[in-house]
């Protein structure tokens, strides 16, 4: 089972290049980074992880810039977003960022797609909260048109693009894509439509949810089985053993949003799972 990591990198934590080198040297398989462009100071949306909202949420580095630095100083380490708030981006620009990072990293990029929890943050990006899932689906389709081998036009409910010359392309035509969120029909419909699998936070309840996802996947005519990558996991030997029993091939362990010394101590502890 591949062992990757995630962390809220900020202006106060270990740097991405330093962390990436350490991860690769120690034998970890990947680094995933979350995204928040900003956290409105006046916020009515309750934080799903509890209040007060942890300090790092308002200080996160841009994940694409940070992952570009991580990819530049490594050769094998996977890099990914956990997650990208696709609805909050211009899809033409985002398609270029994703393709460039995947190309420069030699196909090491994983796109984690999410829908967000912060209504005020989304509103500042012009996103109507009730439409964010359909907007995300539309923008994923538009980006795939830009990644196509030949100039391909796209006309959707929320956006369009002319048949265009758009290079570089992702190494394998599209990056590996995982959709994050809670189990349910809406989430699994998006997974089966355009993704390679699911990015469940924490990994609880997978014994009940994974068979449902596999059934929906098969009914949608998808081949093989969907990837299931538990994300932000606080590890224990028993928990990882359970994931293996469920056929999980990769797990993403949570690192503390902290300075170099604390992060490296945590990596020392996590070495037992490699």
């Amino acid at each position: 089972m591949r062992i990757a990591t995630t962390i809220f990198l900020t202006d106060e934590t270990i740097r991405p290049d330093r962390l990436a080198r350490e991860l690769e040297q120690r034998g970890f398989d990947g680094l995933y980074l979350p995204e928040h462009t900003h956290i409105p100071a006046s916020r009515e949306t309750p934080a799903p992880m509890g209040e007060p909202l942890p300090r790092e949420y308002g200080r996160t580095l841009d994940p694409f810039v940070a992952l570009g630095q991580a990819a530049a100083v490594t050769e094998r380490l996977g890099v990914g977003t956990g997650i990208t708030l696709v609805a909050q981006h211009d899809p033409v620009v985002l398609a270029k960022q994703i393709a460039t990072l995947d190309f420069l990293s030699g196909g090491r990029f994983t796109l984690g797609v999410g829908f967000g929890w912060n209504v005020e943050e989304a509103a500042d990006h012009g996103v109507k909260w009730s439409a964010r899932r359909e907007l995300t689906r539309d923008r994923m389709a538009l980006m795939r048109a830009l990644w196509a081998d030949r100039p391909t036009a796209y006309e959707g409910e929320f956006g369009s693009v002319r048949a265009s010359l758009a290079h570089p392309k992702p190494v394998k035509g599209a990056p590996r894509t995982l959709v994050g969120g809670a189990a349910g029909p809406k989430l699994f419909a998006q997974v089966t439509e355009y993704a390679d699998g699911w990015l469940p936070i924490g990994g609880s309840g997978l014994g009940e949810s994974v068979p449902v996802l596999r059934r929906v996947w098969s009914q949608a005519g998808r081949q093989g089985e969907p990837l299931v990558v538990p994300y932000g996991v606080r590890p224990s030997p028993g928990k990882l053993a359970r994931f293996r029993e469920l056929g999980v091939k990769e797990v993403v362990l949570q690192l503390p949003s902290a300075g170099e010394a604390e992060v490296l101590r945590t990596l020392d502890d996590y070495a037992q799972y490699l």
Side-chain angles (χ1 to χ4, degrees):
M1 189 164 62
R2 289 166 48 89
I3 304 295
T5 61
T6 184
I7 183 175
F8 275 85
L9 287 180
T10 77
D11 55 326
E12 299 176 328
T13 67
I14 187 172
R15 290 174 54 87
D17 52 342
R18 177 76 171 109
L19 175 57
R21 288 192 181 100
E22 287 287 340
L23 289 170
E24 183 160 274
Q25 290 170 4
R26 292 163 183 256
F28 289 89
D29 291 293
L31 172 63
Y32 291 75
L33 299 181
E35 175 183 49
H36 284 285
T37 53
H38 67 300
I39 300 293
S42 176
R43 173 174 53 86
E44 295 181 3
T45 309
M49 69 295 299
E51 300 288 356
L53 185 68
R55 176 181 176 86
E56 57 264 26
Y57 277 77
R59 308 186 76 95
T60 54
L61 301 184
D62 179 280
F64 291 98
V65 176
L67 291 171
Q69 188 181 67
V73 299
T74 56
E75 297 179 353
R76 301 177 304 280
L77 187 74
V79 293
T81 54
I83 49 63
T84 298
L85 295 165
V86 173
Q88 296 180 188
H89 286 265
D90 178 319
V92 178
V93 176
L94 182 59
K96 174 70 77 172
Q97 291 174 300
I98 290 169
T100 299
L101 179 52
D102 192 65
F103 171 76
L104 291 177
S105 68
R108 289 185 277 153
F109 179 65
T110 294
L111 173 63
V113 175
F115 309 103
W117 58 266
N118 193 326
V119 177
E120 289 82 9
E121 177 185 359
D124 286 346
H125 287 279
V127 175
K128 182 180 179 182
W129 189 249
S130 62
R132 71 193 190 283
R133 291 178 182 271
E134 292 306 313
L135 177 57
T136 297
R137 174 185 281 113
D138 192 71
R139 288 186 170 169
M140 288 299 301
L142 189 154
M143 290 194 296
R144 287 180 177 272
L146 289 168
W147 296 332
D149 289 337
R150 298 180 178 180
T152 301
Y154 176 76
E155 183 72 36
E157 179 182 358
F158 298 97
S160 63
V161 67
R162 296 173 175 83
S164 302
L165 303 176
H167 292 266
K169 304 294 185 183
V171 172
K172 297 179 181 179
R176 187 178 76 149
T177 301
L178 304 171
V179 180
K186 291 182 179 180
L187 188 285
F188 288 167
Q190 297 233 9
V191 172
T192 58
E193 180 177 343
Y194 60 76
D196 301 295
W198 180 29
L199 198 66
I201 296 177
S204 63
L206 292 185
E208 297 76 31
S209 300
V210 169
V212 175
L213 173 59
R214 288 173 176 164
R215 184 172 64 252
V216 173
W217 183 269
S218 178
Q219 291 171 346
R222 299 291 301 269
Q223 301 299 309
E225 290 189 343
L227 298 174
V228 177
V229 182
Y231 185 83
V233 172
R234 310 285 181 175
S236 69
K239 187 180 294 185
L240 296 194
R242 176 58 176 154
F243 290 156
R244 289 190 185 92
E245 291 173 0
L246 291 169
V248 168
K249 300 297 192 298
E250 179 182 2
V251 61
V252 183
L253 307 185
Q254 183 68 56
L255 293 172
S257 181
E260 183 172 314
E262 183 176 348
V263 171
L264 297 185
R265 283 195 299 271
T266 304
L267 291 180
D268 290 339
D269 179 53
Y270 286 177
Q272 65 182 296
Y273 303 114
L274 296 176

